[in-house]
Short mmCIF file of all heavy atoms in Angstrom, two decimals:
data_model
loop_
_atom_site.label_atom_id
_atom_site.label_comp_id
_atom_site.label_asym_id
_atom_site.label_seq_id
_atom_site.Cartn_x
_atom_site.Cartn_y
_atom_site.Cartn_z
N LEU A 809 21.96 -73.96 -7.64
CA LEU A 809 22.08 -72.86 -6.70
C LEU A 809 21.76 -71.53 -7.38
O LEU A 809 22.29 -71.24 -8.44
CB LEU A 809 23.52 -72.78 -6.15
CG LEU A 809 23.96 -73.85 -5.17
CD1 LEU A 809 25.44 -73.69 -4.86
CD2 LEU A 809 23.15 -73.80 -3.92
N GLY A 810 20.96 -70.75 -6.73
CA GLY A 810 20.69 -69.43 -7.22
C GLY A 810 21.81 -68.46 -6.88
O GLY A 810 22.10 -67.53 -7.62
N GLN A 811 22.45 -68.69 -5.75
CA GLN A 811 23.57 -67.86 -5.32
C GLN A 811 24.49 -68.69 -4.44
O GLN A 811 24.13 -69.75 -3.97
CB GLN A 811 23.06 -66.63 -4.57
CG GLN A 811 22.24 -66.94 -3.34
CD GLN A 811 21.70 -65.68 -2.70
OE1 GLN A 811 22.41 -64.70 -2.58
NE2 GLN A 811 20.45 -65.71 -2.28
N SER A 812 25.68 -68.18 -4.23
CA SER A 812 26.64 -68.88 -3.38
C SER A 812 26.20 -68.78 -1.93
O SER A 812 25.62 -67.77 -1.52
CB SER A 812 28.03 -68.27 -3.55
OG SER A 812 28.46 -68.39 -4.89
N ILE A 813 26.49 -69.83 -1.15
CA ILE A 813 26.13 -69.82 0.27
C ILE A 813 27.27 -70.41 1.09
O ILE A 813 28.09 -71.19 0.59
CB ILE A 813 24.83 -70.61 0.56
CG1 ILE A 813 25.00 -72.08 0.14
CG2 ILE A 813 23.65 -69.99 -0.13
CD1 ILE A 813 23.91 -72.97 0.67
N ILE A 814 27.31 -70.02 2.34
CA ILE A 814 28.22 -70.60 3.33
C ILE A 814 27.37 -70.97 4.53
O ILE A 814 26.61 -70.14 5.04
CB ILE A 814 29.31 -69.61 3.75
CG1 ILE A 814 30.11 -69.15 2.55
CG2 ILE A 814 30.23 -70.23 4.80
CD1 ILE A 814 31.05 -68.00 2.85
N ALA A 815 27.51 -72.20 5.00
CA ALA A 815 26.81 -72.64 6.20
C ALA A 815 27.84 -72.96 7.27
O ALA A 815 28.92 -73.47 6.97
CB ALA A 815 25.97 -73.87 5.90
N PHE A 816 27.52 -72.63 8.50
CA PHE A 816 28.40 -72.90 9.64
C PHE A 816 27.66 -73.78 10.62
O PHE A 816 26.47 -73.58 10.89
CB PHE A 816 28.80 -71.58 10.32
CG PHE A 816 29.44 -71.76 11.65
CD1 PHE A 816 30.71 -72.29 11.76
CD2 PHE A 816 28.78 -71.41 12.81
CE1 PHE A 816 31.31 -72.47 12.99
CE2 PHE A 816 29.38 -71.58 14.05
CZ PHE A 816 30.64 -72.11 14.14
N GLY A 817 28.37 -74.77 11.14
CA GLY A 817 27.79 -75.65 12.15
C GLY A 817 28.77 -75.87 13.28
O GLY A 817 29.99 -75.85 13.10
N ARG A 818 28.23 -76.06 14.48
CA ARG A 818 29.05 -76.29 15.66
C ARG A 818 28.40 -77.38 16.50
O ARG A 818 27.18 -77.41 16.65
CB ARG A 818 29.14 -75.00 16.48
CG ARG A 818 29.96 -75.13 17.73
CD ARG A 818 30.01 -73.83 18.49
NE ARG A 818 28.73 -73.61 19.15
CZ ARG A 818 28.42 -72.51 19.82
NH1 ARG A 818 29.27 -71.53 19.93
NH2 ARG A 818 27.26 -72.39 20.40
N THR A 819 29.22 -78.28 17.01
CA THR A 819 28.72 -79.33 17.90
C THR A 819 29.24 -79.09 19.30
O THR A 819 30.29 -78.47 19.49
CB THR A 819 29.18 -80.73 17.44
OG1 THR A 819 30.60 -80.81 17.56
CG2 THR A 819 28.75 -81.03 16.03
N GLN A 820 28.51 -79.56 20.29
CA GLN A 820 28.97 -79.43 21.67
C GLN A 820 30.11 -80.39 21.98
O GLN A 820 30.97 -80.09 22.80
CB GLN A 820 27.80 -79.67 22.64
CG GLN A 820 26.74 -78.60 22.55
CD GLN A 820 27.26 -77.21 22.89
OE1 GLN A 820 28.09 -77.04 23.77
NE2 GLN A 820 26.78 -76.22 22.16
N SER A 821 30.10 -81.53 21.33
CA SER A 821 31.19 -82.48 21.49
C SER A 821 31.79 -82.73 20.10
O SER A 821 31.09 -82.64 19.10
CB SER A 821 30.70 -83.80 22.10
OG SER A 821 29.71 -84.36 21.29
N GLY A 822 33.05 -83.02 20.05
CA GLY A 822 33.72 -83.21 18.78
C GLY A 822 33.24 -84.43 18.01
O GLY A 822 32.76 -85.39 18.59
N ILE A 823 33.39 -84.37 16.71
CA ILE A 823 33.07 -85.47 15.81
C ILE A 823 34.37 -85.90 15.15
O ILE A 823 35.15 -85.06 14.70
CB ILE A 823 32.05 -85.03 14.74
CG1 ILE A 823 30.73 -84.66 15.41
CG2 ILE A 823 31.85 -86.12 13.69
CD1 ILE A 823 29.72 -84.05 14.46
N VAL A 824 34.60 -87.19 15.09
CA VAL A 824 35.82 -87.70 14.46
C VAL A 824 35.82 -87.28 12.99
O VAL A 824 34.85 -87.51 12.27
CB VAL A 824 35.91 -89.24 14.59
CG1 VAL A 824 37.13 -89.76 13.84
CG2 VAL A 824 35.97 -89.64 16.05
N PHE A 825 36.91 -86.65 12.56
CA PHE A 825 36.98 -86.12 11.20
C PHE A 825 38.42 -86.12 10.73
O PHE A 825 39.31 -85.74 11.47
CB PHE A 825 36.41 -84.70 11.17
CG PHE A 825 36.32 -84.11 9.80
CD1 PHE A 825 35.25 -84.42 8.98
CD2 PHE A 825 37.29 -83.25 9.33
CE1 PHE A 825 35.15 -83.87 7.70
CE2 PHE A 825 37.20 -82.70 8.07
CZ PHE A 825 36.13 -83.02 7.26
N GLY A 826 38.63 -86.53 9.51
CA GLY A 826 39.97 -86.46 8.91
C GLY A 826 40.79 -87.71 9.11
O GLY A 826 40.61 -88.45 10.06
N ALA A 827 41.68 -87.90 8.17
CA ALA A 827 42.60 -89.03 8.24
C ALA A 827 44.00 -88.47 8.13
O ALA A 827 44.20 -87.41 7.56
CB ALA A 827 42.31 -90.00 7.09
N PRO A 828 45.01 -89.02 8.64
CA PRO A 828 45.06 -90.31 9.32
C PRO A 828 44.86 -90.20 10.83
O PRO A 828 44.64 -91.19 11.49
CB PRO A 828 46.46 -90.80 9.01
CG PRO A 828 47.28 -89.57 8.93
CD PRO A 828 46.35 -88.52 8.34
N ASN A 829 44.95 -88.98 11.41
CA ASN A 829 44.92 -88.89 12.87
C ASN A 829 43.52 -88.96 13.47
O ASN A 829 43.37 -89.11 14.66
CB ASN A 829 45.61 -87.61 13.34
CG ASN A 829 44.96 -86.36 12.82
OD1 ASN A 829 44.01 -86.41 12.06
ND2 ASN A 829 45.47 -85.23 13.22
N ARG A 830 42.47 -88.81 12.63
CA ARG A 830 41.09 -88.93 13.09
C ARG A 830 40.82 -88.07 14.32
O ARG A 830 40.24 -88.51 15.30
CB ARG A 830 40.73 -90.39 13.34
CG ARG A 830 41.17 -91.32 12.24
CD ARG A 830 40.17 -92.09 11.47
NE ARG A 830 38.93 -92.41 12.08
CZ ARG A 830 37.76 -92.15 11.47
NH1 ARG A 830 37.76 -91.58 10.31
NH2 ARG A 830 36.64 -92.48 12.04
N ALA A 831 41.23 -86.82 14.25
CA ALA A 831 41.04 -85.88 15.36
C ALA A 831 39.56 -85.50 15.49
O ALA A 831 38.77 -85.67 14.57
CB ALA A 831 41.88 -84.63 15.12
N LEU A 832 39.21 -84.97 16.66
CA LEU A 832 37.85 -84.50 16.89
C LEU A 832 37.72 -83.07 16.36
O LEU A 832 38.58 -82.23 16.58
CB LEU A 832 37.52 -84.53 18.38
CG LEU A 832 37.48 -85.91 19.02
CD1 LEU A 832 37.17 -85.78 20.50
CD2 LEU A 832 36.47 -86.80 18.34
N THR A 833 36.62 -82.83 15.66
CA THR A 833 36.34 -81.51 15.10
C THR A 833 34.98 -81.06 15.61
O THR A 833 34.04 -81.84 15.64
CB THR A 833 36.33 -81.58 13.56
OG1 THR A 833 37.58 -82.09 13.12
CG2 THR A 833 36.10 -80.23 12.94
N ASP A 834 34.89 -79.78 16.00
CA ASP A 834 33.62 -79.27 16.52
C ASP A 834 33.06 -78.11 15.70
O ASP A 834 31.92 -77.70 15.89
CB ASP A 834 33.75 -78.86 17.98
CG ASP A 834 34.74 -77.74 18.20
OD1 ASP A 834 35.62 -77.52 17.35
OD2 ASP A 834 34.66 -77.07 19.24
N LEU A 835 33.82 -77.58 14.76
CA LEU A 835 33.37 -76.48 13.92
C LEU A 835 33.42 -76.91 12.45
O LEU A 835 34.41 -77.49 12.01
CB LEU A 835 34.26 -75.25 14.11
CG LEU A 835 34.39 -74.72 15.53
CD1 LEU A 835 35.39 -73.58 15.58
CD2 LEU A 835 33.05 -74.28 16.08
N PHE A 836 32.36 -76.62 11.71
CA PHE A 836 32.26 -77.05 10.32
C PHE A 836 31.74 -75.91 9.45
O PHE A 836 30.87 -75.16 9.87
CB PHE A 836 31.29 -78.23 10.19
CG PHE A 836 31.71 -79.43 10.96
CD1 PHE A 836 31.34 -79.60 12.28
CD2 PHE A 836 32.50 -80.41 10.37
CE1 PHE A 836 31.74 -80.71 13.00
CE2 PHE A 836 32.90 -81.53 11.07
CZ PHE A 836 32.52 -81.68 12.40
N PHE A 837 32.31 -75.80 8.27
CA PHE A 837 31.83 -74.84 7.27
C PHE A 837 31.49 -75.60 5.99
O PHE A 837 32.25 -76.45 5.56
CB PHE A 837 32.90 -73.79 6.96
CG PHE A 837 33.14 -72.81 8.07
CD1 PHE A 837 34.07 -73.09 9.06
CD2 PHE A 837 32.43 -71.62 8.13
CE1 PHE A 837 34.30 -72.20 10.08
CE2 PHE A 837 32.65 -70.72 9.15
CZ PHE A 837 33.58 -71.01 10.13
N LEU A 838 30.36 -75.28 5.40
CA LEU A 838 29.97 -75.80 4.10
C LEU A 838 29.99 -74.63 3.14
O LEU A 838 29.31 -73.62 3.37
CB LEU A 838 28.56 -76.41 4.15
CG LEU A 838 27.95 -76.77 2.79
CD1 LEU A 838 28.69 -77.92 2.15
CD2 LEU A 838 26.48 -77.09 2.95
N VAL A 839 30.78 -74.73 2.09
CA VAL A 839 30.89 -73.66 1.09
C VAL A 839 30.34 -74.20 -0.22
O VAL A 839 30.84 -75.19 -0.76
CB VAL A 839 32.38 -73.22 0.92
CG1 VAL A 839 32.49 -72.15 -0.14
CG2 VAL A 839 32.96 -72.75 2.25
N ALA A 840 29.30 -73.56 -0.73
CA ALA A 840 28.68 -73.97 -1.99
C ALA A 840 28.60 -72.75 -2.90
O ALA A 840 27.87 -71.80 -2.59
CB ALA A 840 27.29 -74.55 -1.75
N CYS A 841 29.38 -72.76 -3.96
CA CYS A 841 29.46 -71.61 -4.86
C CYS A 841 29.09 -72.01 -6.28
O CYS A 841 29.25 -73.15 -6.68
CB CYS A 841 30.88 -71.03 -4.84
SG CYS A 841 31.36 -70.41 -3.22
N ARG A 842 28.67 -71.02 -7.03
CA ARG A 842 28.24 -71.25 -8.41
C ARG A 842 29.41 -71.50 -9.35
O ARG A 842 29.25 -72.12 -10.39
CB ARG A 842 27.44 -70.07 -8.91
CG ARG A 842 26.12 -69.91 -8.18
CD ARG A 842 25.36 -68.78 -8.74
NE ARG A 842 25.12 -69.06 -10.15
CZ ARG A 842 24.25 -68.45 -10.89
NH1 ARG A 842 23.53 -67.51 -10.39
NH2 ARG A 842 24.10 -68.76 -12.17
N ASP A 843 30.60 -70.99 -9.01
CA ASP A 843 31.74 -71.17 -9.91
C ASP A 843 33.02 -71.35 -9.10
O ASP A 843 33.08 -71.01 -7.91
CB ASP A 843 31.87 -69.97 -10.87
CG ASP A 843 32.04 -68.67 -10.13
OD1 ASP A 843 33.17 -68.37 -9.71
OD2 ASP A 843 31.03 -67.94 -9.95
N SER A 844 34.03 -71.89 -9.75
CA SER A 844 35.30 -72.21 -9.08
C SER A 844 36.01 -70.98 -8.56
O SER A 844 36.60 -71.00 -7.49
CB SER A 844 36.23 -72.96 -10.04
OG SER A 844 35.66 -74.18 -10.41
N ARG A 845 35.96 -69.89 -9.32
CA ARG A 845 36.64 -68.66 -8.90
C ARG A 845 36.08 -68.15 -7.58
O ARG A 845 36.82 -67.81 -6.65
CB ARG A 845 36.52 -67.60 -9.99
CG ARG A 845 37.26 -66.34 -9.68
CD ARG A 845 37.25 -65.42 -10.90
NE ARG A 845 38.11 -64.29 -10.66
CZ ARG A 845 37.67 -63.05 -10.52
NH1 ARG A 845 36.38 -62.80 -10.62
NH2 ARG A 845 38.51 -62.07 -10.30
N THR A 846 34.78 -68.08 -7.48
CA THR A 846 34.14 -67.63 -6.23
C THR A 846 34.45 -68.60 -5.11
O THR A 846 34.73 -68.18 -3.98
CB THR A 846 32.62 -67.50 -6.44
OG1 THR A 846 32.37 -66.60 -7.51
CG2 THR A 846 31.94 -67.00 -5.18
N HIS A 847 34.39 -69.89 -5.39
CA HIS A 847 34.67 -70.91 -4.37
C HIS A 847 36.08 -70.72 -3.80
O HIS A 847 36.25 -70.73 -2.58
CB HIS A 847 34.51 -72.30 -4.98
CG HIS A 847 34.57 -73.40 -3.98
ND1 HIS A 847 33.47 -73.79 -3.25
CD2 HIS A 847 35.59 -74.18 -3.58
CE1 HIS A 847 33.83 -74.78 -2.44
NE2 HIS A 847 35.11 -75.04 -2.63
N LEU A 848 37.06 -70.53 -4.66
CA LEU A 848 38.43 -70.34 -4.19
C LEU A 848 38.58 -69.03 -3.42
O LEU A 848 39.30 -68.97 -2.41
CB LEU A 848 39.40 -70.38 -5.37
CG LEU A 848 39.55 -71.75 -6.03
CD1 LEU A 848 40.42 -71.64 -7.27
CD2 LEU A 848 40.11 -72.77 -5.06
N HIS A 849 37.89 -67.99 -3.85
CA HIS A 849 37.93 -66.72 -3.14
C HIS A 849 37.36 -66.87 -1.72
O HIS A 849 37.94 -66.38 -0.74
CB HIS A 849 37.14 -65.65 -3.92
CG HIS A 849 37.05 -64.34 -3.22
ND1 HIS A 849 38.10 -63.46 -3.16
CD2 HIS A 849 36.03 -63.77 -2.55
CE1 HIS A 849 37.73 -62.40 -2.46
NE2 HIS A 849 36.48 -62.56 -2.08
N VAL A 850 36.23 -67.56 -1.61
CA VAL A 850 35.61 -67.78 -0.30
C VAL A 850 36.51 -68.63 0.59
O VAL A 850 36.71 -68.33 1.77
CB VAL A 850 34.22 -68.44 -0.47
CG1 VAL A 850 33.67 -68.92 0.87
CG2 VAL A 850 33.25 -67.47 -1.12
N LEU A 851 37.10 -69.69 0.04
CA LEU A 851 38.01 -70.53 0.84
C LEU A 851 39.22 -69.74 1.32
O LEU A 851 39.65 -69.90 2.47
CB LEU A 851 38.46 -71.73 0.02
CG LEU A 851 37.42 -72.81 -0.24
CD1 LEU A 851 38.02 -73.91 -1.11
CD2 LEU A 851 36.87 -73.38 1.06
N ALA A 852 39.76 -68.87 0.47
CA ALA A 852 40.91 -68.06 0.87
C ALA A 852 40.52 -67.11 2.00
O ALA A 852 41.26 -66.96 2.98
CB ALA A 852 41.44 -67.28 -0.33
N ARG A 853 39.37 -66.48 1.87
CA ARG A 853 38.92 -65.54 2.91
C ARG A 853 38.65 -66.28 4.21
O ARG A 853 39.02 -65.84 5.29
CB ARG A 853 37.66 -64.80 2.43
CG ARG A 853 37.09 -63.87 3.45
CD ARG A 853 38.01 -62.68 3.69
NE ARG A 853 37.41 -61.79 4.65
CZ ARG A 853 38.05 -61.37 5.73
NH1 ARG A 853 39.30 -61.69 5.95
NH2 ARG A 853 37.44 -60.58 6.58
N LEU A 854 38.00 -67.41 4.12
CA LEU A 854 37.72 -68.22 5.31
C LEU A 854 39.03 -68.66 5.96
O LEU A 854 39.16 -68.64 7.18
CB LEU A 854 36.86 -69.43 4.93
CG LEU A 854 36.36 -70.32 6.04
CD1 LEU A 854 35.57 -69.53 7.07
CD2 LEU A 854 35.50 -71.43 5.46
N GLY A 855 40.02 -69.05 5.17
CA GLY A 855 41.32 -69.43 5.71
C GLY A 855 41.97 -68.30 6.47
O GLY A 855 42.55 -68.51 7.54
N ARG A 856 41.88 -67.07 5.95
CA ARG A 856 42.43 -65.92 6.66
C ARG A 856 41.69 -65.66 7.97
O ARG A 856 42.29 -65.33 8.99
CB ARG A 856 42.40 -64.67 5.77
CG ARG A 856 43.43 -64.72 4.65
CD ARG A 856 43.57 -63.40 3.93
NE ARG A 856 42.33 -62.94 3.31
CZ ARG A 856 41.93 -63.26 2.09
NH1 ARG A 856 42.65 -64.08 1.34
NH2 ARG A 856 40.80 -62.77 1.60
N MET A 857 40.37 -65.83 7.95
CA MET A 857 39.58 -65.63 9.16
C MET A 857 39.97 -66.64 10.23
O MET A 857 40.10 -66.29 11.41
CB MET A 857 38.09 -65.77 8.84
CG MET A 857 37.55 -64.65 7.98
SD MET A 857 35.91 -64.98 7.30
CE MET A 857 34.93 -65.19 8.76
N LEU A 858 40.17 -67.89 9.83
CA LEU A 858 40.49 -68.95 10.79
C LEU A 858 41.87 -68.76 11.41
O LEU A 858 42.15 -69.30 12.47
CB LEU A 858 40.40 -70.32 10.11
CG LEU A 858 39.00 -70.72 9.66
CD1 LEU A 858 39.05 -71.99 8.83
CD2 LEU A 858 38.06 -70.87 10.83
N GLN A 859 42.73 -67.97 10.78
CA GLN A 859 44.06 -67.71 11.31
C GLN A 859 44.07 -66.56 12.32
O GLN A 859 45.08 -66.36 13.00
CB GLN A 859 45.04 -67.42 10.18
CG GLN A 859 45.31 -68.64 9.33
CD GLN A 859 46.23 -68.33 8.17
OE1 GLN A 859 46.78 -67.24 8.06
NE2 GLN A 859 46.40 -69.28 7.29
N GLN A 860 42.98 -65.82 12.42
CA GLN A 860 42.91 -64.73 13.40
C GLN A 860 42.97 -65.33 14.80
O GLN A 860 42.31 -66.32 15.09
CB GLN A 860 41.62 -63.92 13.22
CG GLN A 860 41.54 -63.21 11.89
CD GLN A 860 42.65 -62.19 11.72
OE1 GLN A 860 42.93 -61.39 12.60
NE2 GLN A 860 43.31 -62.24 10.57
N PRO A 861 43.76 -64.71 15.70
CA PRO A 861 44.03 -65.30 17.01
C PRO A 861 42.80 -65.73 17.82
O PRO A 861 42.80 -66.80 18.40
CB PRO A 861 44.79 -64.20 17.75
CG PRO A 861 45.40 -63.38 16.67
CD PRO A 861 44.46 -63.44 15.50
N ASP A 862 41.75 -64.93 17.86
CA ASP A 862 40.62 -65.26 18.75
C ASP A 862 39.37 -65.74 18.01
O ASP A 862 38.35 -65.99 18.65
CB ASP A 862 40.25 -64.03 19.58
CG ASP A 862 41.37 -63.63 20.52
OD1 ASP A 862 42.07 -64.54 21.02
OD2 ASP A 862 41.54 -62.43 20.76
N PHE A 863 39.46 -65.87 16.70
CA PHE A 863 38.26 -66.18 15.92
C PHE A 863 37.61 -67.51 16.32
O PHE A 863 36.41 -67.57 16.60
CB PHE A 863 38.58 -66.15 14.43
CG PHE A 863 37.38 -66.35 13.55
CD1 PHE A 863 36.38 -65.40 13.49
CD2 PHE A 863 37.27 -67.50 12.79
CE1 PHE A 863 35.27 -65.59 12.68
CE2 PHE A 863 36.16 -67.69 11.97
CZ PHE A 863 35.16 -66.74 11.92
N LEU A 864 38.39 -68.56 16.38
CA LEU A 864 37.82 -69.89 16.72
C LEU A 864 37.27 -69.93 18.14
O LEU A 864 36.19 -70.47 18.37
CB LEU A 864 38.88 -70.98 16.52
CG LEU A 864 39.28 -71.25 15.08
CD1 LEU A 864 40.39 -72.28 15.02
CD2 LEU A 864 38.09 -71.71 14.27
N SER A 865 37.99 -69.33 19.08
CA SER A 865 37.49 -69.34 20.46
C SER A 865 36.22 -68.51 20.58
O SER A 865 35.31 -68.87 21.34
CB SER A 865 38.57 -68.84 21.43
OG SER A 865 38.95 -67.53 21.12
N GLN A 866 36.10 -67.42 19.81
CA GLN A 866 34.87 -66.63 19.84
C GLN A 866 33.71 -67.39 19.22
O GLN A 866 32.58 -67.32 19.73
CB GLN A 866 35.08 -65.30 19.10
CG GLN A 866 35.99 -64.35 19.85
CD GLN A 866 36.31 -63.10 19.05
OE1 GLN A 866 36.15 -63.08 17.83
NE2 GLN A 866 36.74 -62.06 19.73
N LEU A 867 33.97 -68.13 18.14
CA LEU A 867 32.90 -68.96 17.56
C LEU A 867 32.44 -70.03 18.54
O LEU A 867 31.25 -70.29 18.67
CB LEU A 867 33.38 -69.63 16.27
CG LEU A 867 33.33 -68.80 15.00
CD1 LEU A 867 33.90 -69.61 13.84
CD2 LEU A 867 31.93 -68.33 14.69
N ARG A 868 33.38 -70.63 19.23
CA ARG A 868 33.02 -71.67 20.22
C ARG A 868 32.25 -71.08 21.39
O ARG A 868 31.41 -71.75 21.99
CB ARG A 868 34.28 -72.38 20.70
CG ARG A 868 34.87 -73.31 19.68
CD ARG A 868 36.07 -74.07 20.20
NE ARG A 868 36.52 -75.02 19.23
CZ ARG A 868 37.64 -74.88 18.50
NH1 ARG A 868 38.42 -73.82 18.69
NH2 ARG A 868 37.96 -75.79 17.61
N ALA A 869 32.54 -69.83 21.74
CA ALA A 869 31.88 -69.19 22.88
C ALA A 869 30.56 -68.53 22.52
O ALA A 869 29.80 -68.13 23.41
CB ALA A 869 32.83 -68.15 23.50
N ALA A 870 30.26 -68.41 21.23
CA ALA A 870 29.01 -67.75 20.81
C ALA A 870 27.81 -68.48 21.42
O ALA A 870 27.70 -69.69 21.30
CB ALA A 870 28.91 -67.73 19.29
N GLU A 871 26.94 -67.72 22.05
CA GLU A 871 25.81 -68.32 22.76
C GLU A 871 24.64 -68.68 21.86
O GLU A 871 23.78 -69.46 22.25
CB GLU A 871 25.36 -67.40 23.88
CG GLU A 871 26.47 -67.21 24.91
CD GLU A 871 25.94 -66.84 26.26
OE1 GLU A 871 24.72 -66.93 26.47
OE2 GLU A 871 26.77 -66.49 27.10
N ASP A 872 24.60 -68.09 20.65
CA ASP A 872 23.50 -68.39 19.75
C ASP A 872 23.94 -68.17 18.31
O ASP A 872 25.04 -67.69 18.04
CB ASP A 872 22.26 -67.56 20.08
CG ASP A 872 22.54 -66.08 20.12
OD1 ASP A 872 23.37 -65.59 19.30
OD2 ASP A 872 21.96 -65.37 20.96
N SER A 873 23.08 -68.54 17.38
CA SER A 873 23.42 -68.45 15.97
C SER A 873 23.57 -67.01 15.50
O SER A 873 24.39 -66.73 14.61
CB SER A 873 22.38 -69.18 15.12
OG SER A 873 21.10 -68.61 15.30
N VAL A 874 22.83 -66.09 16.09
CA VAL A 874 22.94 -64.68 15.70
C VAL A 874 24.31 -64.14 16.04
O VAL A 874 24.95 -63.46 15.24
CB VAL A 874 21.82 -63.84 16.37
CG1 VAL A 874 22.02 -62.36 16.12
CG2 VAL A 874 20.45 -64.29 15.88
N THR A 875 24.81 -64.48 17.22
CA THR A 875 26.15 -64.05 17.64
C THR A 875 27.21 -64.64 16.72
O THR A 875 28.13 -63.95 16.28
CB THR A 875 26.42 -64.45 19.09
OG1 THR A 875 25.38 -63.90 19.93
CG2 THR A 875 27.77 -63.96 19.57
N ALA A 876 27.10 -65.93 16.40
CA ALA A 876 28.06 -66.58 15.49
C ALA A 876 28.00 -65.93 14.11
O ALA A 876 29.04 -65.67 13.50
CB ALA A 876 27.75 -68.08 15.39
N TYR A 877 26.81 -65.63 13.63
CA TYR A 877 26.65 -64.98 12.33
C TYR A 877 27.36 -63.64 12.31
O TYR A 877 28.08 -63.33 11.36
CB TYR A 877 25.15 -64.81 12.03
CG TYR A 877 24.88 -64.05 10.76
CD1 TYR A 877 24.98 -64.67 9.52
CD2 TYR A 877 24.52 -62.71 10.81
CE1 TYR A 877 24.73 -63.97 8.35
CE2 TYR A 877 24.27 -61.99 9.64
CZ TYR A 877 24.37 -62.63 8.42
OH TYR A 877 24.13 -61.94 7.27
N HIS A 878 27.20 -62.84 13.35
CA HIS A 878 27.84 -61.53 13.40
C HIS A 878 29.36 -61.65 13.49
O HIS A 878 30.08 -60.84 12.89
CB HIS A 878 27.29 -60.70 14.55
CG HIS A 878 25.89 -60.20 14.29
ND1 HIS A 878 25.57 -59.31 13.29
CD2 HIS A 878 24.72 -60.51 14.88
CE1 HIS A 878 24.29 -59.08 13.28
NE2 HIS A 878 23.74 -59.80 14.24
N LEU A 879 29.85 -62.64 14.20
CA LEU A 879 31.30 -62.86 14.26
C LEU A 879 31.85 -63.17 12.88
O LEU A 879 32.90 -62.65 12.49
CB LEU A 879 31.63 -64.02 15.21
CG LEU A 879 31.54 -63.73 16.69
CD1 LEU A 879 31.61 -65.03 17.48
CD2 LEU A 879 32.66 -62.79 17.11
N ILE A 880 31.16 -64.01 12.14
CA ILE A 880 31.62 -64.39 10.81
C ILE A 880 31.55 -63.19 9.87
O ILE A 880 32.46 -62.94 9.08
CB ILE A 880 30.80 -65.59 10.28
CG1 ILE A 880 31.11 -66.83 11.12
CG2 ILE A 880 31.08 -65.84 8.81
CD1 ILE A 880 30.16 -67.98 10.91
N CYS A 881 30.47 -62.43 9.94
CA CYS A 881 30.32 -61.27 9.05
C CYS A 881 31.32 -60.16 9.37
O CYS A 881 31.78 -59.48 8.45
CB CYS A 881 28.90 -60.72 9.15
SG CYS A 881 27.67 -61.77 8.39
N ASP A 882 31.62 -59.97 10.64
CA ASP A 882 32.59 -58.93 11.03
C ASP A 882 33.97 -59.28 10.55
O ASP A 882 34.77 -58.49 10.21
CB ASP A 882 32.60 -58.73 12.54
CG ASP A 882 31.32 -58.06 13.02
OD1 ASP A 882 30.57 -57.47 12.20
OD2 ASP A 882 31.06 -58.13 14.23
#
């Protein structure tokens, strides 16, 4: 990797993910960082974002990738 990246993906229908309850998941983040410190920093920030009251519903309602990108950056 030349630099750290974060990828976001969304499905229209849920995908079975996780054990043991095998719940359906429709939002996915891929975090790829050059070092552990940056990786942990990104995960912490992402965790805080996911706890915001309307963040997940806004991501689900985003009509296109540009809108989702701006929500994540804001």
